[in-house]
Amino acid sequence: MKKILILGSTGSIGTSALELIRNNREEYQVVAISGNRNIELLKKQIEEFKPLAIYVGVEEEAIKIKNEYSFIENIYFGENGLAELAKNSDYDIILTAVSGAIGIDATVEAIKREKRIALANKETMVSAGTYINRLLKEYPKAEIIPVDSEHSALFQSLQGFKKENVKKLIITASGGTFRGKTLDFLENVTVEEALKHPNWSMGKKITIDSSTLVNKGLEVIEAHELFNVAYDDIEVVVHPQSIIHSMVEYVDGSIIAQMGVPSMKTPILYAFSYPEKEFNASIDFLDLIKTKTLTFEEADRKVFKGIDLAYRAGRTGETMPTVFNAANEVAVELFMKKKIKFLDIYRIIEEAMDNHNLISLDTDEALSIIKEVDKETRKKVREQWEK
């Protein structure tokens, strides 16, 4: 039986993972979970899966839960709580499904314990990919299996082939809520409009990232870090149906694609079962006859500027991807609070990158530098834009 730790159990990926586990309790045991604001759902999960350890954001709630559920052996909270949960719990696989740079420390602890990381937190590789890859070499039994649908698709499409046979990675994008729209249209779009994704049911932050196409930029950087492929050999293609989740083109002209319904359950399950393929009753299967048409378009990078900003950040390297990610996180937060306009998200990212002085990460202090740059970028953005 595989012991599973889920960071972000109350989010869309976390709840999907628990549904998979619910349908295969002979194979998986939930030993630890973390939640933040959705305390009621967290309590329901505690009652159903009876984890031995949990994390909750606020100390007051942690004390209440500890008093309410006597079977919980360890409860963590606060800034370092997720890392402590990952450091001290007894698990085989950790699913990092929290949003934002908060997931980095927990991933680091899991690597040091040489665990499998089912990675659904793209910011970990974007902000700290250089450091994470260095750490993976130091702890060779640790492994990262990507859970983002695009990177899971790439991971699966790369199986059995040599890196030198790869011509390019092709990351597909739905095009987001505003596919085909102009800059003039985007000037006054609302939060409510941005959250209406045509294909995927996701958390609010990633849905906004999808509407700006910043998520594709984040995925480009993550793909570079995960698969060690040059930026010139990573392409973004809009595929409105979200059936092909990404592709790999090889030097002989063949393209291998991974297809499936727009659901996170398949990549989560693959990260749990790899290198095997496993049936689960909660998985929906693709009907090719009903699918009928698959189309592809060039991404409009003049309107959706997040892609090119990400390529710039990635190619610059060092601490620039950290700035790109941190500035975007704060910008999305401000947009959802209706303190800035939609297009201000791009302005905030570009301004933060323009004003950043690069710092080398070729040092033993790399993680501390990344955290400080992340913190300072957020502070500067808030000081200038939060009204």
Side-chain angles (χ1 to χ4, degrees), residues 61-125:
E61 294 293 346
I63 293 169
K64 289 179 182 177
I65 289 173
K66 178 64 176 174
N67 292 334
E68 195 169 344
Y69 302 102
S70 59
F71 57 83
I72 295 176
E73 295 176 0
N74 295 298
I75 188 161
Y76 303 92
F77 56 87
E79 186 177 351
N80 299 317
L82 286 178
E84 290 297 313
L85 184 68
K87 182 179 180 179
N88 299 322
S89 300
D90 177 23
Y91 59 94
D92 302 305
I93 301 171
I94 179 172
L95 171 62
T96 60
V98 290
S99 179
I102 192 173
I104 295 174
D105 282 341
T107 300
V108 168
E109 292 297 338
I111 292 172
K112 288 180 178 179
R113 294 188 61 191
E114 298 193 299
K115 301 297 185 180
R116 172 178 293 183
I117 298 102
L119 187 66
N121 172 262
K122 60 171 62 72
E123 292 84 359
T124 292
M125 296 307 291

Side-chain angles (χ1 to χ4, degrees), residues 179-197:
R179 181 174 67 90
K181 302 301 183 183
T182 64
L183 283 171
D184 286 342
F185 178 89
L186 294 178
E187 188 65 47
N188 293 305
V189 295
T190 65
V191 174
E192 291 75 18
E193 289 170 331
L195 288 172
K196 293 177 182 177
H197 196 283

Side-chain angles (χ1 to χ4, degrees), residues 21 98 110 118 140 148 202 228-229 256 259 313 317 336 349 378 380:
I21 293 168
V98 290
D148 271 350
M202 307 177 289
N228 191 26
V229 172
I256 294 181
M259 303 170 64
M336 288 196 290
I349 297 170
R378 293 168 190 272
K380 287 180 179 178

Side-chain angles (χ1 to χ4, degrees), residues 245-367:
H245 299 299
S246 278
M247 301 170 267
V248 178
E249 183 177 4
Y250 288 90
V251 292
D252 63 354
S254 64
I255 294 177
I256 294 181
Q258 188 268 333
M259 303 170 64
V261 296
S263 168
M264 292 303 298
K265 289 180 184 176
T266 295
I268 295 166
L269 184 60
Y270 188 62
F272 285 175
S273 65
Y274 172 81
E276 305 298 329
K277 290 281 191 179
E278 184 179 283
F279 172 78
N280 190 287
S282 71
I283 295 288
D284 294 322
F285 287 79
L286 178 65
D287 186 326
L288 288 171
I289 303 303
K290 290 181 180 178
T291 301
K292 292 184 180 178
T293 304
L294 302 178
T295 61
F296 305 92
E297 306 166 7
E298 186 176 0
D300 189 344
R301 288 155 76 154
K302 289 184 179 180
V303 173
F304 300 98
K305 299 177 182 179
I307 297 175
D308 282 347
L309 287 171
Y311 273 100
R312 174 187 158 192
R315 289 187 171 113
T316 302
E318 302 294 1
T319 47
M320 194 62 83
T322 304
V323 172
F324 173 82
N325 178 69
N328 175 65
E329 282 193 25
V330 178
V332 170
E333 176 190 317
L334 294 176
F335 175 66
M336 288 196 290
K337 290 180 178 177
K338 303 183 179 181
K339 294 187 175 183
I340 63 169
K341 290 188 173 184
F342 184 83
L343 292 178
D344 287 332
I345 294 172
Y346 300 131
R347 298 183 184 110
I348 287 171
I349 297 170
E350 189 167 18
E351 186 178 274
M353 290 171 59
D354 287 344
N355 294 330
H356 178 60
N357 295 317
L358 279 180
I359 305 173
S360 173
L361 294 178
D362 188 18
T363 168
D364 292 340
E365 302 301 315
L367 187 57

